[in-house]
């Protein structure tokens, strides 16, 4: 589904990713761990298509196509969702207006009929209830004045509404209290299916207690230096990354 | 370009002419105008706005073959933007005549003032206002009787240059709201020709004790039209006004709002939105004069400026010795969409006592690139993302307009303008 082959990226001429490779198939959950500054968020941004992360070498295949040829918005419409580590606040732009525009952009791309305001509201209300998010989220500005944890929950809300094929969640667990963590995990587990893939970027084993990964990778200095199953995460929790170059 | 208008010739050209409508008033205005002079860039209030084209158009309108009023009258049922309102048909009302219209059971009087009445009622304190009084074709007074609570807005539509001179029109409206009344107005400017034109309009709005007024101005003139629109608002005890100007069209649009908080517990909110592009020039000058105590004023202007657009905001609050416990706020926020866009903004305070609460600020920025990226990452294309951000920005002002029936029209007007920006 997603095949990242030996990518190198630089931001303002500083090398960040250094020959990173990763292959992901439908139905799989991959966890990516690694020290601060190792390039985890950069990977997420490269997948989302942020302009300032220039890919200087390597390639990324998504559903058999060259991902790097797709614009940011095409990637989203084609089923890529990145839950950001630091979601942006957009004061004054109504959350539900934003989400509806987003859903309809995707529908239009797929040559489907637009979702009506009524259907949208129905779906949004159901989703919000399931994720135990306050109803008021819908009418607030996008992330406007949201607490750190609320922003993360809003990302999961967007993910659920957009129903992508692959979700890359960058530290969606940071800043969540234990109840919110369970809710987010529940949302992700419900999303999980045979046909979907998930990349979880996290620093903490505790998320992986709720969402069981098939693979755990350690990212350091811009490349994956070790891969294993969930026991790798448990080992890292005890020993840290010190052997791995931090 | 220097502004030239030979004042010495004006009395011969306009006033000693059997077609002069208000000859005596004209003499008073001309005398005042000679004292003040035609403003140019050396005048503090006209530093950023060049009025040589409006003045040229005015001069052109004075040539003998343009003196006759066009016989074209507005469509009786003209209903700008399909906004639900009691649209007044100004062309219907002849000099010295008056007319009562029943609105929701209240008798609203509409009168075209004669010379004697006009001399008594007119406020003439600035050069453009003098020119307006000197050249005015019609002075219309609208009186809202005491204790009227009128739900539907009253609409004043100026379709330029339908019932005016060619090149230049000079109208003056006096809105008199008697005590304990609540009412709303829409003034609407649009063009029906692409010929160059200058509209020089004065609105005098008097609010008596314990009144509440909602006032919305929508300016959607063609790109060859110039508008200088001056509102003089006098507030009675316990009265309040919520004034909003929405500037979309025109080549040059200058809005002056002079708010006189003459009486205790009066308050004024003066808001504005401007969307400016391609060589347009939009200028807002707002003066809040706090004369009496426990008065409050807020000025809040949000602007979007596109390619080669130029905007000006000058907001001033003057707080006199006796205006104790006064609150005054002034804000101006601008988003520049292009390197060639520019704005001159200046909120000012002049305070002569210690018991005031004031705040002011202005910002000039670009659309938030991070927000655009975030929206794109959710499938929204760049153009839509930008226009959603702009809509959200101007909504800060539009959401404060309390005229429900204008909402749909304004949304459409703004989104069609955004298409072009
Ligand atoms: N715009 C930028 N300009 C310069 N350096 C940048 C820029 N963005 C990221 N970097 C650098 O790239 C490196 C990788 O950053 P990245 O955010 O991917 O790390 P991370 O693994 O997500 O870290 P964390 O665990 O702290 O979230 C860091 O050293 C960071 O300072
Ligand atoms: Mg990170």
């Amino acid at each position: 589904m997603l095949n990242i082959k030996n990518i190198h990226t630089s931001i303002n001429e500083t090398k960040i990713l250094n020959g990173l490779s990763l292959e992901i198939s439908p139905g799989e959950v991959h966890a990516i761990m690694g020290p601060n500054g190792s390039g985890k968020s950069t990977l997420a941004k490269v997948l989302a298509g942020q302009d300032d992360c220039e890919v200087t070498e390597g390639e990324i295949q998504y559903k058999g196509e060259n991902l790097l040829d797709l614009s940011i918005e095409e990637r989203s419409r084609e089923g890529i969702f990145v839950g950001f580590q630091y979601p942006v606040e957009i004061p004054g732009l109504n959350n539900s207006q934003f989400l509806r525009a987003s859903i309809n952009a995707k529908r239009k791309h797929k040559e489907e009929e637009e979702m009506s305001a009524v259907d949208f509201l129905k779906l949004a209300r159901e989703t919000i209830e399931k994720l135990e998010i306050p109803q008021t989220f819908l009418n607030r500005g996008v992330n406007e004045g949201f607490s750190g944890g609320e922003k993360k929950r809003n990302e999961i809300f967007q993910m659920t509404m957009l129903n992508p094929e692959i979700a890359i969640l960058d530290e969606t667990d940071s800043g969540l209290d234990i109840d919110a963590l369970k809710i987010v995990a529940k949302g992700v587990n419900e999303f999980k299916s045979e046909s979907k893939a998930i990349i979880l970027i996290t620093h903490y084993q505790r998320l992986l207690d709720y969402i069981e990964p098939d693979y755990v990778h350690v990212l350091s200095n811009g490349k994956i230096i070790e891969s294993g199953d969930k026991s790798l995460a448990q080992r890292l929790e005890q020993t840290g990354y010190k052997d791995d170059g931090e | 370009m220097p502004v030239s208008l030979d004042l010495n010739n004006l009395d011969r050209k306009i006033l000693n002419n059997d077609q002069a409508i208000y000859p005596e008033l004209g003499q008073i205005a001309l005398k005042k105008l000679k004292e003040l002079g035609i403003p140019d860039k050396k005048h503090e209030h006209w530093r950023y706005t060049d009025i040589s084209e409006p003045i040229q158009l005015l001069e052109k309108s004075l040539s003998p073959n343009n003196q006759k009023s066009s016989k074209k009258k507005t469509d009786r049922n003209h209903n700008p933007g399909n906004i639900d309102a009691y649209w007044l048909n100004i062309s219907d009302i002849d000099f010295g005549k008056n007319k009562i219209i029943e609105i929701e059971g209240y008798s609203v009087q509409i009168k075209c003032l004669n010379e004697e009445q006009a001399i008594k009622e007119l406020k003439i304190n600035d050069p453009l206002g003098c020119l307006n009084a000197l050249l005015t074709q019609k002075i219309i007074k609208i009186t809202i009787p005491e204790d009227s609570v009128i739900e539907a807005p009253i609409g004043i539509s100026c379709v330029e240059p339908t019932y005016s001179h060619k090149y230049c029109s000079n109208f003056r409206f006096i809105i008199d709201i008697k005590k304990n009344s609540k009412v709303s107005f829409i003034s609407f400017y649009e063009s029906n020709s692409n010929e160059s034109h200058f509209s020089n309009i004065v609105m005098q709005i008097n609010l008596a004790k314990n009144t509440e007024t909602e006032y919305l101005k929508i300016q959607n003139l063609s790109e060859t039209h110039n508008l200088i629109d001056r509102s003089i608002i006098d507030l009675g005890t316990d009265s309040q006004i919520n004034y909003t100007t929405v500037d979309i069209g025109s080549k040059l649009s200058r809005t002056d709002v002079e708010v006189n908080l003459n009486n205790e517990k009066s308050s004024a909110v003066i808001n504005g939105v401007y969307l400016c592009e391609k060589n347009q020039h939009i200028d807002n000058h707002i003066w809040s004069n706090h004369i009496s105590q426990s008065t409050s004023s807020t000025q809040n202007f949000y602007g979007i400026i596109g390619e080669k657009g130029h905007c000006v905001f000058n907001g001033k609050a003057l707080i006199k010795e006796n205006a104790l416990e006064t609150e005054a706020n002034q804000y101006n926020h601008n988003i520049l969409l292009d390197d060639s866009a520019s704005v001159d903004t200046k909120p000012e305070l002049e305070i002569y006592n210690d018991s005031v609460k004031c705040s002011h600020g202005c910002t000039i920025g670009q659309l938030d690139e991070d927000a655009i990226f975030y929206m794109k990452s959710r499938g929204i294309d760049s153009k839509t993302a930008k226009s959603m951000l702009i809509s959200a920005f101007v909504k800060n002002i539009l959401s404060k307009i309390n005229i429900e029936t204008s909402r749909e029209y304004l949304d459409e007007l703004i989104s069609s303008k955004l298409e072009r920006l």
Side-chain angles (χ1 to χ4, degrees):
Chain A
M1 175 180 228
L2 183 71
N3 195 357
I4 305 169
K5 286 187 228 164
N6 185 34
I7 56 162
H8 294 251
T9 63
S10 3
I11 300 177
N12 304 329
E13 287 165 32
T14 313
K15 288 206 91 177
I16 315 280
L17 296 181
N18 241 319
L20 186 144
S21 297
L22 188 62
E23 199 181 336
I24 291 163
S25 302
E28 293 176 354
V29 177
H30 290 246
I32 297 180
M33 306 181 83
N36 295 131
S38 56
K40 302 181 298 297
S41 294
T42 304
L43 172 63
K45 286 175 192 164
V46 165
L47 294 174
Q50 196 172 55
D51 303 333
D52 50 5
C53 305
E54 194 198 342
V55 177
T56 51
E57 205 186 316
E59 61 170 320
I60 305 176
Q61 294 261 315
Y62 172 63
K63 296 195 294 190
E65 280 185 72
N66 182 358
L67 182 77
L68 300 176
D69 283 347
L70 300 181
S71 68
I72 303 167
E73 55 269 33
E74 281 167 340
R75 296 178 194 199
S76 164
R77 295 172 194 166
E78 280 296 328
I80 294 184
F81 178 90
V82 177
F84 294 100
Q85 184 175 3
Y86 303 109
V88 178
E89 292 198 23
I90 313 178
L93 177 61
N94 184 276
N95 218 357
S96 59
Q97 193 197 345
F98 167 64
L99 251 180
R100 202 172 141 228
S102 168
I103 287 176
N104 282 331
K106 182 171 175 178
R107 290 195 161 212
K108 200 171 156 203
H109 177 75
K110 301 250 168 220
E111 291 175 358
E112 292 168 8
E113 219 177 291
E114 284 205 355
M115 190 184 267
S116 72
V118 176
D119 289 345
F120 170 81
L121 215 61
K122 190 165 166 277
L123 180 66
R125 292 228 169 95
E126 281 167 14
T127 310
I128 252 182
E129 202 154 310
K130 207 167 64 189
L131 295 174
E132 299 178 45
I133 285 170
Q135 290 284 346
T136 53
F137 262 43
L138 270 183
N139 297 318
R140 284 173 67 180
V142 178
N143 294 321
E144 184 177 359
F146 281 30
S147 74
E150 284 172 342
K151 284 181 186 162
K152 298 301 173 71
R153 273 195 273 177
N154 201 23
E155 296 289 282
I156 294 299
F157 174 47
Q158 291 177 23
M159 177 193 81
T160 313
M161 292 289 288
L162 287 170
N163 194 24
E165 290 169 51
I166 178 164
I168 300 109
L169 302 175
D170 189 359
E171 296 200 26
T172 303
D173 55 330
S174 322
L176 291 183
D177 64 44
I178 192 71
D179 293 333
L181 182 70
K182 283 184 192 162
I183 292 163
V184 163
K186 193 173 129 217
V188 175
N189 281 325
E190 270 169 32
F191 167 74
K192 204 172 128 179
S193 82
E194 294 272 288
S195 61
K196 316 237 170 196
I198 300 169
I199 300 177
L200 296 171
I201 296 172
T202 182
H203 285 291
Y204 306 106
Q205 159 67 29
R206 63 169 197 172
L207 176 71
L208 307 180
D209 289 340
Y210 294 104
I211 310 167
E212 203 171 304
D214 301 302
Y215 302 94
V216 174
H217 310 277
V218 179
L219 184 61
S220 181
N221 287 322
K223 62 173 161 211
I224 288 173
I225 53 160
E226 193 176 359
S227 296
D229 60 12
K230 62 181 177 182
S231 64
L232 174 57
Q234 283 152 7
R235 201 193 79 210
L236 290 169
E237 184 97 333
Q238 273 147 33
T239 62
Y241 302 113
K242 48 186 179 294
D243 299 336
D244 307 314
E246 248 278 282
Chain B
M1 205 191 303
V3 182
S4 69
L5 181 65
D6 185 0
L7 297 182
N8 297 318
N9 261 330
L10 286 183
D11 40 352
R12 195 166 44 76
K13 270 192 168 160
I14 309 160
L15 304 171
N16 299 333
N17 170 326
D18 31 323
Q19 284 181 12
I21 304 172
Y22 296 100
E24 253 180 85
L25 174 72
Q27 290 296 354
I28 298 169
L30 184 58
K31 185 163 170 265
K32 182 91 185 165
L33 182 62
K34 283 178 178 166
E35 278 166 40
L36 298 169
I38 304 285
D40 58 22
K41 292 203 160 191
K42 284 185 227 102
H43 276 68
E44 192 197 332
H45 300 142
W46 297 93
R47 266 179 67 189
Y48 301 108
T49 297
D50 178 0
I51 57 166
S52 43
E53 177 172 316
I55 296 294
Q56 272 163 15
L57 287 163
L58 185 148
E59 203 164 15
K60 222 165 152 184
S61 77
L62 298 178
S63 82
N65 29 3
N66 287 316
Q67 294 261 330
K68 269 210 193 80
S69 202
S70 141
K71 283 278 171 280
K72 254 198 282 173
K73 292 204 166 182
T74 34
D75 169 9
R76 249 181 172 289
N77 300 314
H78 182 66
N79 178 3
N82 283 323
I83 300 173
D84 230 342
Y86 285 93
W87 289 101
L88 302 181
N89 199 338
I90 306 303
S91 57
D92 247 14
I93 303 151
D94 290 324
F95 181 79
K97 292 278 160 49
N98 84 58
K99 182 173 155 184
I100 304 284
I101 54 167
E102 293 292 325
I103 301 180
E104 296 174 12
Y106 300 99
S107 305
V108 173
Q109 190 191 52
I110 303 165
K111 190 173 183 176
C112 181
L113 299 187
N114 64 29
E115 177 130 56
E116 192 186 56
Q117 293 158 336
I119 291 173
K120 217 167 74 198
E121 303 240 9
L122 253 55
K123 295 193 176 100
I124 316 174
N125 55 5
D126 80 299
L128 272 297
C130 289
L131 280 170
N132 169 282
L134 178 61
L135 299 164
T136 189
Q137 294 102 349
K138 256 182 192 180
I139 301 168
I140 303 284
K141 180 170 176 180
I142 302 164
T143 308
I144 306 295
E146 286 180 13
D147 305 309
S148 312
V149 178
I150 301 176
E151 287 288 330
I154 296 173
I156 300 169
S157 146
C158 294
V159 187
E160 296 290 29
T162 313
Y163 44 78
S164 61
H165 282 185
K166 216 173 166 186
Y167 304 120
C168 178
S169 53
N170 292 271
F171 290 103
R172 188 179 288 250
F173 297 89
I174 300 173
I175 298 175
D176 209 24
I177 301 151
K178 302 287 189 203
K179 69 176 190 218
N180 306 327
S181 290
K182 189 176 171 199
V183 66
S184 50
F185 288 91
I186 303 176
S187 66
F188 194 101
Y189 298 92
E190 62 181 343
S191 307
N192 68 357
S193 112
N194 278 324
E195 259 181 84
S196 295
H197 190 80
F198 169 39
S199 311
N200 185 19
I201 312 284
V202 181
M203 287 275 170
Q204 294 180 204
I205 308 172
N206 308 322
L207 280 76
K209 196 174 157 181
N210 194 33
T211 55
E212 220 179 298
T213 300
E214 178 77 26
Y215 185 98
L216 168 64
K217 170 184 151 192
I218 302 171
Q219 184 274 106
N220 188 29
L221 292 165
S222 81
E223 59 199 19
T224 50
H225 281 206
N226 300 273
L227 171 67
I228 298 181
D229 167 58
R230 182 176 176 84
S231 293
I232 305 169
I233 303 169
D234 283 281
L235 291 163
T237 309
D238 273 317
S239 68
Q240 58 190 75
I241 189 163
N242 186 40
Y243 174 110
T244 312
T245 163
V246 179
D247 263 303
I248 305 292
S250 82
K251 179 173 189 185
L252 178 156
S253 169
R254 161 75 175 234
T255 302
D256 280 355
V257 184
E258 173 190 323
V259 189
N260 298 310
L261 298 122
N262 295 321
N263 293 284
E264 276 183 36
K265 290 187 239 155
S266 51
S267 75
V269 174
I270 311 296
N271 287 338
V273 165
Y274 43 92
L275 304 185
C276 180
E277 49 150 1
K278 289 197 206 90
N279 302 315
Q280 270 186 288
H281 180 95
I282 298 178
D283 176 351
N284 287 288
H285 267 66
I286 318 298
W287 292 269
S288 299
N289 300 318
H290 293 260
I291 319 287
S292 191
Q293 69 174 36
S294 307
T295 50
S296 80
S297 74
T298 298
Q299 305 171 5
N300 216 346
F301 281 71
Y302 279 63
I304 304 285
I305 313 167
E307 202 186 329
K308 292 190 187 142
H310 182 222
C311 293
V312 182
F313 173 79
N314 187 291
K316 186 165 178 177
L318 165 71
I319 297 158
K320 290 278 185 75
E321 304 80 9
N322 294 329
L324 300 168
E325 286 159 50
T326 287
E327 196 177 329
N329 308 298
Q330 295 145 289
Y331 291 99
N332 176 225
H333 300 291
N334 299 283
I335 290 179
L336 308 186
L337 299 177
D338 193 88
D339 288 345
S340 61
S342 63
V343 60
D344 289 289
T345 173
K346 188 167 157 202
E348 283 180 274
L349 284 165
E350 198 178 319
I351 305 175
Y352 295 100
N353 78 61
D354 292 332
S355 92
V356 295
K357 246 173 47 196
C358 290
S359 65
H360 64 172
C362 61
T363 58
I364 302 170
Q366 275 88 38
L367 286 175
D368 181 354
E369 285 300 328
D370 291 341
I372 293 171
F373 167 71
Y374 189 70
M375 293 170 83
K376 283 193 197 164
S377 80
R378 299 300 181 248
I380 300 168
D381 65 86
S382 169
K383 198 169 173 194
T384 309
K386 284 178 185 168
S387 97
M388 284 174 84
L389 288 179
I390 294 172
S391 303
F393 177 76
V394 297
K395 207 182 243 152
N396 284 301
I397 296 300
L398 297 181
S399 65
K400 297 195 173 88
I401 298 171
N402 299 311
I403 300 181
E404 274 313 315
T405 58
S406 69
R407 208 164 295 274
E408 203 177 314
Y409 174 76
L410 283 178
D411 286 347
E412 269 168 37
L413 181 66
I414 286 172
S415 45
S416 72
K417 173 86 175 188
L418 291 183
E419 284 288 309
R420 281 175 278 142
L421 278 179

